[in-house]
Amino acid sequence: MLRTRLVHSSLGDSTVRALVGRGCPQGGVISPLLWLLVADGLLTGLERLGVDAIGYADDVALLLSSRNEGILHQRMQNALDYVQQWCTSHGLRVNPSKTEMVLFTSRRRCVVRPPSIYDTVLGFSNEVKYLGVWLDRRLSWKKHITMQTNKVIMTYWACRRMFGSTWGLRPRIVKWIYTAIMLPQLAYAAVVWWTAMNKACHRKTVDRTGRIAMLGITGALWTTPTSALEALLFLQPPHLHIKEVAMISAARLRLQGRWKEASSGHAAMLTADSELRGLLSWGGDACFKVNLGYGATQLGSDRKWTPPTGLVWYTDGSRIGNRAGAGIWSEGPSIARALGFHPHTTMLQAELAALKACAREILGRGDRGKKIYICSDSRRALRALLKNESCSRLVNDCTDLMERVASHNQLEVVWIPGHAGILGNKKTDELAKRGCLEVAPTEENPVGVHIDFVKDMIWKRAERGVVERWRSEEGAKHTRTLFREPSKQLAEMLVGLNRIQLRSLIGLITGHWPLASYLAKIGRGSDPTCPKCGLADENPHHLGTRCSGLDEIRWDVFGTTCIKDMYVDMDGIDGLYEFARRANILAPID
């Protein structure tokens, strides 16, 4: 890699060839590993000096702190001297012009003499970008939020070429662009800077992205209230999404034992959430142990099941409501056992816990020299056992127990088809359901919290927040006359329409549509009175429920001439659209 590589460089008709004595090929598979082998010595040496050194590829960050300006300067200079010495000994060099320093402090006046490297005095910067995050000297995150927001808006306008108000990509696809591309881009590294969302100015900045995306999804008129669009599309403001992403990251790190709690700042996120803290107290189902399972584990085929000769055990897991359970059954030896687990146990964890409990039961019997079969109808659980590497503590514990069984017996773990009339599978299914409903959880079979369960809990809480926010907030008065509360079902129905239909319905539901009342409000008309009856302001609610000039159409569509209460989330959107089409009020304005 380093001694026999030949490089060709061509310009016009001339070609130069040279042997390369240092460096790694860009894009080479082994190049990152070769660099890590070299850089590890630098990071280790800096740690011995008491410097917090963080390396990501060839980006190295040094963190030093002190309450005394003189001591801080000396520590920085010692660290840079060591870097220079190490680089010289390895034939490398640091570029001083690309080296940046930021003095993080809340003091109004703090004078620190800058250090030097390669006879170049370094200067202090007010901000620096490291791994895609902008860090300013007061950690206000203003620069990072502004840059990320602008980047997301540029992404939106790049996609905007593919759709307009009434043409192009379907609303469902545009919503996917927003939720799968724009929001993750906006919430990058949110676990670090989520505290900025406590300030109204930063919330206003990031929420711009949500509004332009929702206008793009629906094609609605620019005056349409943001709260109405969020409720109809069942979306939450971006600043709340950022906090939820940060909470998921904090919970994942907490389950891995890498999260340091604090009473203030970004690390205080989990402190105030008692519900989440109670869940995380069970510990995580994640570790970082590499464990290659024993070779006898295999998946079964799809052929008709015939019970093998030997000791045959059956396992199954189940989840009913917010409870999980498992069952273990064997005809010989005669054993039937139901297990109950805590509410945070997922379906996959229940299947794995059943296999683990079965292996423990076999070990407790002390069988030796036997041919043992453990049968499960969960392909996911058996594939988890077959992985060469697992980050699940439950999988590794299960594999360890089975290896102990296999060390004294001939063990085979096989897949069997579920609900295929196999006696053992039927018995374990009944036991697993009984474990869900009747058996209390015990500490004998502990199951840690999986991050997927935490994510699901946080997202469900966010969905409840969409409904609660709509109930508690004011505004969007016209929307509330035709729409009771947000629902995922209505949102899915809306984004499933074509762009023309969706734009029209959003305008009719929110009242921001070219009717006399709306035109008068925006200065394009003078009389808001309904021209069909002359009795009230012309708006979609009046036309759809009480306008006497449209009694015949209302009777044909709704079966009545006067509707007291009509809600699109209860009565559906088809009737409103058909009524508007026949009443000839679907023509939009530019």
Side-chain angles (χ1 to χ4, degrees):
M1 289 292 294
L2 301 180
R3 299 181 186 276
T4 59
R5 276 193 293 128
L6 187 64
V7 175
H8 301 260
S9 180
S10 299
L11 180 63
D13 296 333
S14 302
T15 301
V16 178
R17 297 177 179 83
L19 285 170
V20 180
R22 65 175 66 185
C24 304
Q26 185 173 0
V29 175
I30 201 174
S31 298
L33 176 60
L34 292 175
W35 169 251
L36 292 177
L37 292 174
V38 175
D40 185 67
L42 174 62
L43 300 179
T44 303
L46 288 169
E47 287 183 0
R48 285 198 294 265
L49 284 178
V51 178
D52 290 330
I54 301 167
Y56 186 87
D58 60 344
D59 283 330
V60 178
L62 309 183
L63 302 177
L64 301 104
S65 62
S66 177
R67 293 181 178 273
N68 184 279
E69 291 90 341
I71 295 176
L72 183 59
H73 164 80
Q74 189 60 48
R75 294 192 64 193
M76 287 191 296
Q77 190 61 62
N78 291 341
L80 292 179
D81 288 345
Y82 180 83
V83 172
Q84 181 174 339
Q85 177 187 354
W86 181 88
C87 289
T88 302
S89 64
H90 286 74
L92 300 171
R93 183 180 173 86
V94 171
N95 189 344
S97 63
K98 293 184 178 181
T99 302
E100 296 186 80
M101 291 193 306
V102 177
L103 185 63
F104 299 102
T105 179
S106 58
R107 295 182 186 178
R108 290 184 177 273
R109 180 175 175 80
C110 184
V111 180
V112 177
R113 186 158 56 93
S116 61
I117 187 170
Y118 292 107
D119 298 324
T120 302
V121 178
L122 302 178
F124 287 104
S125 304
N126 289 326
E127 57 202 14
V128 63
K129 185 180 181 182
Y130 185 67
L131 301 183
V133 180
W134 283 94
L135 305 165
D136 60 87
R137 65 188 303 268
R138 293 189 179 275
L139 295 181
S140 67
W141 308 109
K142 181 178 179 180
K143 177 69 175 288
H144 177 76
I145 292 171
T146 301
M147 296 297 290
Q148 287 299 109
T149 301
N150 292 340
K151 188 183 296 184
V152 171
I153 292 175
M154 289 174 61
T155 300
Y156 169 79
W157 285 111
C159 299
R160 185 66 169 77
R161 303 172 185 174
M162 296 183 285
F163 63 91
S165 298
T166 58
W167 59 271
L169 296 177
R170 295 184 67 88
R172 189 186 304 278
I173 303 301
V174 182
K175 184 180 179 182
W176 177 86
I177 290 174
Y178 172 58
T179 57
I181 299 176
M182 294 172 61
L183 283 179
Q185 191 176 28
L186 181 65
Y188 173 72
V191 70
V192 177
W193 56 271
W194 70 269
T195 52
M197 294 300 98
N198 294 329
K199 292 186 177 181
C201 60
H202 296 324
R203 292 199 298 267
K204 184 178 179 181
T205 300
V206 299
D207 286 350
R208 287 170 51 209
T209 61
R211 177 165 176 81
I212 66 170
M214 289 186 291
L215 290 175
I217 294 168
T218 60
L221 302 182
W222 66 272
T223 56
T224 308
T226 302
S227 60
L229 292 174
E230 289 172 349
L232 289 169
L233 296 177
F234 206 74
L235 295 172
Q236 55 185 340
H239 75 270
L240 293 180
H241 176 81
I242 287 170
K243 287 187 176 182
E244 282 149 15
V245 170
M247 188 170 292
I248 290 174
S249 298
R252 174 175 53 81
L253 294 171
R254 170 72 169 77
L255 291 176
Q256 294 175 356
R258 299 183 176 188
W259 183 259
K260 294 183 179 180
E261 301 262 349
S263 57
S264 61
H266 75 282
M269 166 162 280
L270 302 179
T271 305
D273 195 325
S274 58
E275 181 184 9
L276 191 57
R277 282 180 61 86
L279 177 63
L280 298 178
S281 65
W282 291 100
D285 177 28
C287 62
F288 291 90
K289 168 187 172 186
V290 178
N291 195 321
L292 182 64
Y294 53 90
T297 307
Q298 63 178 9
L299 291 177
S301 65
D302 293 329
R303 294 175 297 180
K304 186 176 180 180
W305 169 254
T306 302
T309 302
L311 303 179
V312 184
W313 296 72
Y314 298 86
T315 68
D316 197 11
S318 181
R319 185 173 175 85
I320 301 175
N322 65 343
R323 285 291 307 276
I328 304 169
W329 186 85
S330 176
E331 188 175 18
S334 180
I335 288 178
R337 188 178 178 192
L339 308 172
F341 303 115
H342 291 283
H344 64 257
T345 306
T346 64
M347 185 65 187
L348 176 59
Q349 285 180 314
E351 297 279 6
L352 289 168
L355 290 166
K356 175 183 173 182
C358 180
R360 184 186 290 115
E361 195 79 33
I362 296 172
L363 282 174
R365 288 176 46 82
D367 291 332
R368 290 178 176 269
K370 305 287 187 180
K371 189 169 180 61
I372 300 174
Y373 296 87
I374 300 179
C375 306
S376 171
D377 64 356
S378 174
R379 287 184 181 271
R380 286 186 65 198
L382 297 186
R383 286 195 179 104
L385 297 180
L386 282 173
K387 288 183 178 180
N388 291 341
E389 181 178 350
S390 174
C391 61
S392 168
R393 181 176 291 111
L394 184 57
V395 170
N396 287 319
D397 289 347
C398 184
T399 308
D400 286 342
L401 289 172
M402 288 186 175
E403 284 179 340
R404 290 167 59 187
V405 173
S407 63
H408 301 291
N409 302 275
Q410 187 177 350
L411 175 64
E412 191 171 343
V413 183
V414 296
W415 175 83
I416 59 173
H419 308 288
I422 300 174
L423 177 62
N425 185 251
K426 291 171 60 177
K427 292 290 186 181
T428 52
D429 183 59
E430 294 171 359
L431 289 168
K433 291 178 178 177
R434 194 173 77 187
C436 291
L437 303 174
E438 302 176 9
V439 181
T442 64
E443 297 303 320
E444 182 183 0
N445 297 292
V447 177
V449 180
H450 197 279
I451 187 60
D452 288 347
F453 185 87
V454 178
K455 288 181 183 178
D456 187 60
M457 187 196 80
I458 292 175
W459 292 134
K460 285 182 178 177
R461 195 161 61 179
E463 292 174 357
R464 293 195 300 269
V466 174
V467 178
E468 292 169 0
R469 193 164 49 256
W470 175 253
R471 291 174 178 173
S472 60
E473 291 180 352
E474 298 180 355
K477 294 181 180 179
H478 189 279
T479 306
R480 296 178 188 275
T481 62
L482 295 174
F483 178 70
R484 294 176 306 170
E485 65 180 30
S487 69
K488 291 182 69 174
Q489 292 76 15
L490 179 64
E492 287 298 315
M493 290 175 60
L494 288 172
V495 298
L497 302 173
N498 62 50
R499 299 199 65 83
I500 295 177
Q501 291 175 325
L502 177 58
R503 186 185 193 214
S504 304
L505 280 169
I506 293 294
L508 294 171
I509 296 171
T510 61
H512 288 250
W513 199 242
L515 300 175
S517 177
Y518 175 76
L519 293 175
K521 288 181 180 178
I522 65 174
R524 291 199 182 185
S526 57
D527 186 9
T529 306
C530 176
K532 297 178 177 61
C533 66
L535 300 177
D537 290 350
E538 186 189 34
N539 58 54
H541 181 261
H542 165 72
L543 296 176
T545 59
R546 292 180 176 82
C547 180
S548 59
L550 298 173
D551 283 347
E552 184 177 347
I553 297 176
R554 195 180 300 108
W555 177 266
D556 291 342
V557 176
F558 301 112
T560 180
T561 58
C562 184
I563 302 174
K564 181 179 180 182
D565 295 309
M566 180 180 68
Y567 295 107
V568 292
D569 54 322
M570 180 177 63
D571 303 319
I573 57 178
D574 296 334
L576 178 61
Y577 186 82
E578 177 63 18
F579 172 81
R581 187 188 65 80
R582 297 185 59 177
N584 197 27
I585 58 175
L586 291 181
I589 59 174
D590 295 329

